[in-house]
Amino acid sequence: MGKGESARVYEGQLVATGLRFGLVCSRFNEFFVRKLLEGAIDCIERHGGDAGEVETAWTPGSFELPMVCNRFAQTGRFDAVIALGVVIQGGTPHAQYINSEVAKGVAQSAMHTGVPVIYGVITADTIEQAVERSGTKAGNRGADAAQSAIEMANLYKQLPRGK
Ligand code: INI
């Protein structure tokens, strides 16, 4: 075997045909989160997925995203779950506490359920940064998250299973 080669390589394809996704959206900063949701569904459809197979749940804020992601993932109905939210820094450390819990909680829900749970949360210092990441000059974080979800869903189908 040549340098850098291995016996087997597992990679997820960017094909969403036949895949089912659960999208969990935060109502806080809903103006931006709706743009992320649109970006995510558009990405799923552009990769051959069916928006009719997508289920969406809304939480009060980003802090609650992991709880609902976990419930969605536990159903076994979804090939991947995506958390969509926007946390904008204010004059107090409030946003930092939310951010650390959301990132940790999303990761834990993926680990506990065995379903890929994707982090599609914008953490912005300013409203301008949120605008840039929800469909303008820095892209659409929801579409990016959906692409990761498609890749991870396909990767999980390929990976060997533990005992
Ligand atoms: N939730 C957000 O999704 N984004 C924010 O910017 C935000 N800020 O700044 O307060 C926010 N707060 C609400 C929080 O997520 C919970 O819903 C709330 O604390 C109740 O648990």
Side-chain angles (χ1 to χ4, degrees):
M1 220 173 297
K3 266 191 183 170
E5 287 180 16
S6 65
R8 202 167 282 157
V9 178
Y10 301 100
E11 279 182 309
Q13 302 304 303
L14 291 177
V15 178
T17 313
L19 297 179
R20 290 156 312 162
F21 297 96
L23 305 190
V24 186
C25 305
S26 156
R27 219 176 274 289
F28 207 102
N29 293 320
E30 182 180 345
F31 178 82
F32 296 115
V33 178
R34 288 217 175 258
K35 298 287 174 201
L36 302 185
L37 176 60
E38 283 172 23
I41 292 180
D42 181 61
C43 177
I44 290 166
E45 288 186 314
R46 283 152 69 92
H47 287 84
D50 179 2
E53 292 293 321
V54 173
E55 293 184 34
T56 306
W58 286 85
T59 64
S62 292
F63 185 79
E64 290 77 25
L65 288 171
M67 309 170 201
V68 178
C69 286
N70 205 57
R71 286 285 296 268
F72 257 11
Q74 280 173 336
T75 63
R77 284 223 299 267
F78 304 108
D79 297 293
V81 173
I82 306 171
L84 298 174
V86 177
V87 182
I88 302 175
Q89 187 69 51
T92 69
H94 188 69
Q96 283 150 248
Y97 291 111
I98 296 171
N99 286 335
S100 64
E101 289 309 311
V102 178
K104 198 167 42 179
V106 164
Q108 280 174 352
S109 111
M111 300 298 228
H112 291 157
T113 60
V115 174
V117 182
I118 305 300
Y119 180 77
V121 179
I122 294 173
T123 56
D125 288 330
T126 62
I127 288 194
E128 191 183 358
Q129 288 180 348
V131 171
E132 287 172 358
R133 288 158 181 75
S134 50
T136 63
K137 77 174 190 187
N140 184 311
R141 187 78 193 88
D144 297 344
Q147 188 173 307
S148 298
I150 294 166
E151 183 173 346
M152 285 297 286
N154 285 314
L155 176 60
Y156 266 43
K157 285 182 187 297
Q158 286 190 27
L159 290 175
R161 293 196 171 272
K163 284 184 188 151

